[in-house]
Amino acid sequence: MMDLPVSIFNDVLGPVMRGPSSSHTAAAARIGQLARQLAGGKIQKAVVEFTPDGSLATTYHTQGSDIGLAGGLLGLSLSSPELLKSLSLAAQNGLDIQFHIRKYEATHPNTYKLSLTTSDSSSFSLTALSTGGGMIQITEIDGFPAEIYGDYWELLLYLPDTPGDISEQVKNSRIFQDISLENHTIHCRNQDHLIHLKFSQALEEKTIACITRQFNCNKYRYTSPVLPVTSGCRNRILFHTAAELENAFPKPDTQLWEMALKYESQRGNISEDEVWKMAAGILKIMRQAVQNGLQGTFYKNRILQQQSHLMENAAARLLQAPLINKISQYTMAVMETKSAFGTIVAAPTAGSCAAIPGAILGSADCCGFTEEDCIKALLAAGIVGVLIAQRSTFSAEVAGCQAECGSASGMAAAAIVQLMGGSARTALQASSFALQNIFGMVCDPVANRVEVPCLGKNILAATNGFTAANLITAGVNAVLPLDEVIAAMDEVGRSLPAKLRCTALGGLSVTPTSLAIEKQLKNLDE
């Protein structure tokens, strides 16, 4: 089994998207994009099945899995303004999409089972997982096991019963000597075989034709990456844990953003300048999300309309805590942009998208930090997110909201230490301190929407990160190393009852007021 190496811009600071949930809307869109490529022709019908035991059965509509999948099948990007009306666009384009809740064996709460029919009446099936923060994995295609994460160019060759050792034929084939074959696996089902080839560069049509002829395959499927950072044998992982990161410090006063720059450059086989530019681009989108929220947003089918302006309007009546109030206001503004289907950065998820921009940009505007300072802070937050993703999850369906807003709080703590010019070691201690405070945070969305109590939890994440950064910078002892805290956080999160892990079956989700609001909003849909 191949493990997908964690990337700052794949897993942590991204995707750039529209919609309420990265594990619903963005992940579904990526699954749809890959399914569209694998189909090799115009898709006329898609039957989508969710198991009643998982999270998606109760949340696929209200959290945008349906529009995300439809958008992906149509070839829309994750940030397309057309995404919101993708279901109607699908119908206009002759694409029949059906959603069903049916019992089947699933190993993950966010499992998609798709059966697709193309315009030439051919059909195929796939099973895919949304693993958190917009990341996905296709685990089965046409009954064959698969491992597609969207980080390679991938060619699947279907062969009838073939004599000889197919693996040796692949290894010895001269055609692969001049192209970037990274990995191959072979699967057998009855008398049929599937050769799964992964490449770190795109294949020309003539190359695909040559490969298919050589292996006498009766059909093939081909996909391009859907992630911003691709994988390959030249990609290196400099460290997997906080302890390994500290051992890699070139000097005692190394700052965390420097290690983030080195890590992502090696992980993505890209220059450090390119990593910096990507981070600057992410910061720009975050800044625009804050501004859009402050200017005012409107979306009929949501619980909360604009509230971020209330902080300034009531300034004379509030306790004098300008920085905390600015962070809170900016966090609210990003959440309002998200709930109005504006463009946001899932950092590390859409449900927790506001804590990090709120903390960084609120601090910058209140204290006079520069754009360069903010980019460094964002990179520091990103590398802490990498450490969390290496050993845990960003999926609330797996580990509750502590996996989302909790993780964001640890990342925000590191970012604020970086803004203050602190060392990487201090930033890691601040992350540890912040994460210790969020154990047991459940995911129980009111009315099955990613708004309440998500707004308050984002503000909590940002301000907890701020407090942790200040305390550790002052010399307070975090006691526990970050690696131990991440491991404990993961254990606690996975111990939460399923009804408190984004299923809308417990906690605030089932209060009388929540159910009444859900009914009101459902009427707006009709």
Side-chain angles (χ1 to χ4, degrees):
M1 180 175 179
M2 296 178 62
D3 290 325
L4 179 62
V6 177
S7 157
I8 291 176
F9 299 114
N10 285 351
D11 301 78
V12 185
L13 301 179
V16 175
M17 59 168 287
R18 294 177 189 262
S21 168
S22 49
S23 62
H24 290 72
T25 321
R30 283 174 167 167
I31 291 168
Q33 289 170 349
L34 288 173
R36 176 185 172 91
Q37 294 184 61
L38 289 165
K42 183 179 179 181
I43 299 173
Q44 286 193 328
K45 184 177 181 179
V47 177
V48 188
E49 297 176 82
F50 304 125
T51 175
D53 301 329
S55 168
L56 293 167
T58 53
T59 61
Y60 79 89
H61 176 62
T62 54
Q63 297 192 25
S65 296
D66 50 0
I67 62 172
L69 189 66
L73 291 173
L74 291 170
L76 299 179
S77 73
L78 277 61
S79 59
S80 169
E82 300 288 290
L83 198 64
L84 182 57
K85 52 185 179 181
S86 60
L87 288 171
S88 60
L89 289 174
Q92 292 170 22
N93 281 272
L95 172 54
D96 176 21
I97 306 177
Q98 301 176 13
F99 295 92
H100 300 286
I101 311 301
R102 291 176 181 158
K103 184 74 174 177
Y104 59 85
E105 187 174 342
T107 59
H108 193 283
N110 286 348
T111 299
Y112 293 73
K113 195 171 183 180
L114 277 67
S115 301
L116 301 112
T117 305
T118 59
S119 54
D120 62 0
S121 298
S122 65
S123 61
F124 78 103
S125 65
L126 66 84
T127 301
L129 311 177
S130 164
T131 55
M135 298 298 285
I136 62 166
Q137 179 187 357
I138 293 179
T139 60
E140 176 270 329
I141 296 176
D142 290 329
F144 290 101
E147 286 189 48
I148 298 178
Y149 300 94
D151 60 325
Y152 283 101
W153 287 263
E154 317 212 21
L155 182 62
L156 287 75
L157 307 177
Y158 292 74
L159 281 66
D161 191 20
T162 304
D165 188 330
I166 301 176
S167 183
E168 284 301 311
Q169 293 178 42
V170 173
K171 291 178 182 178
N172 296 329
S173 175
R174 302 181 77 178
I175 193 172
F176 297 126
Q177 294 176 6
D178 299 323
I179 55 179
S180 53
L181 178 64
E182 297 286 344
N183 179 271
H184 77 274
T185 53
I186 298 168
H187 302 286
C188 180
R189 187 192 63 190
N190 299 325
Q191 300 299 312
D192 298 321
H193 295 81
L194 177 72
I195 303 177
H196 187 168
L197 307 168
K198 292 178 179 282
F199 301 89
S200 56
Q201 293 178 342
L203 300 182
E204 296 181 357
E205 288 187 14
K206 62 181 181 180
T207 303
I208 295 176
C210 186
I211 295 171
T212 57
R213 282 197 305 270
Q214 177 166 336
F215 288 92
N216 194 30
C217 71
N218 50 22
K219 67 177 178 180
Y220 73 88
R221 303 191 190 281
Y222 178 69
T223 70
S224 300
V226 295
L227 297 178
V229 177
T230 58
S231 297
C233 63
R234 296 182 182 179
N235 305 60
R236 294 176 55 232
I237 301 298
L238 297 182
F239 43 81
H240 294 83
T241 66
E244 291 176 359
L245 188 159
E246 291 195 43
N247 289 335
F249 290 167
K251 54 187 187 298
D253 60 347
T254 294
Q255 293 190 332
L256 205 51
W257 74 272
E258 298 175 276
M259 301 305 295
L261 212 60
K262 293 179 185 297
Y263 176 93
E264 192 69 4
S265 174
Q266 295 292 317
R267 160 61 183 88
N269 191 30
I270 53 180
S271 70
E272 292 187 6
D273 283 345
E274 184 62 24
V275 176
W276 181 270
K277 289 176 183 177
M278 292 176 75
I282 292 294
L283 183 70
K284 184 177 180 180
I285 296 167
M286 288 180 167
R287 170 67 78 180
Q288 189 62 55
V290 171
Q291 292 175 352
N292 290 345
L294 293 176
Q295 289 168 5
T297 62
F298 176 79
Y299 183 67
K300 183 175 66 172
N301 198 331
R302 65 178 179 180
I303 301 172
L304 300 171
Q305 296 300 333
Q306 186 189 11
Q307 298 184 119
S308 53
H309 65 291
L310 298 177
M311 299 296 292
E312 286 187 1
N313 292 352
R317 294 183 283 112
L318 303 180
L319 291 177
Q320 294 306 299
L323 181 51
I324 291 292
N325 290 342
K326 181 67 74 174
I327 289 173
S328 299
Q329 182 188 29
Y330 280 19
T331 302
M332 293 171 71
V334 176
M335 288 296 286
E336 289 167 8
T337 296
K338 179 189 72 69
S339 66
F341 272 80
T343 301
I344 53 96
V345 179
T349 68
S352 59
C353 69
I356 290 168
I360 294 176
L361 296 172
S363 297
D365 288 358
C366 195
C367 302
F369 294 113
T370 66
E371 181 181 4
E372 181 178 326
D373 294 331
C374 292
I375 295 171
K376 290 178 179 179
L378 189 59
L379 286 166
I383 202 62
V384 168
V386 165
L387 297 175
I388 295 171
Q390 293 277 18
R391 305 190 66 184
S392 186
T393 178
F394 293 138
S395 174
E397 294 83 1
V398 174
C401 191
Q402 65 172 51
E404 298 199 21
C405 287
S407 296
S409 190
M411 294 163 63
I416 293 177
V417 169
Q418 179 61 61
L419 283 175
M420 293 188 288
S423 69
R425 187 166 280 109
T426 301
L428 295 177
Q429 291 171 353
S431 294
S432 170
F433 193 95
L435 290 177
Q436 292 172 42
N437 304 331
I438 52 78
F439 279 30
M441 186 185 289
V442 303
C443 181
D444 54 347
V446 168
N448 216 343
R449 307 298 174 103
V450 190
E451 295 184 68
V452 181
C454 316
L455 170 61
K457 288 178 179 177
N458 272 263
I459 294 172
L460 172 66
T463 54
N464 178 53
F466 163 78
T467 303
N470 262 356
L471 289 171
I472 297 301
T473 299
V476 171
N477 187 356
V479 180
L480 297 172
L482 180 57
D483 288 331
E484 292 182 18
V485 174
I486 292 171
M489 180 178 75
D490 186 68
E491 181 184 4
V492 170
R494 294 174 190 270
S495 300
L496 292 171
K499 67 181 182 179
L500 298 177
R501 289 187 273 120
C502 200
T503 57
L505 297 175
L508 298 177
S509 300
V510 295
T511 60
T513 298
S514 173
L515 297 175
I517 293 172
E518 184 173 12
K519 184 177 180 180
Q520 292 169 7
L521 294 176
K522 186 177 181 181
N523 290 336
L524 292 177
D525 268 343
E526 296 174 350

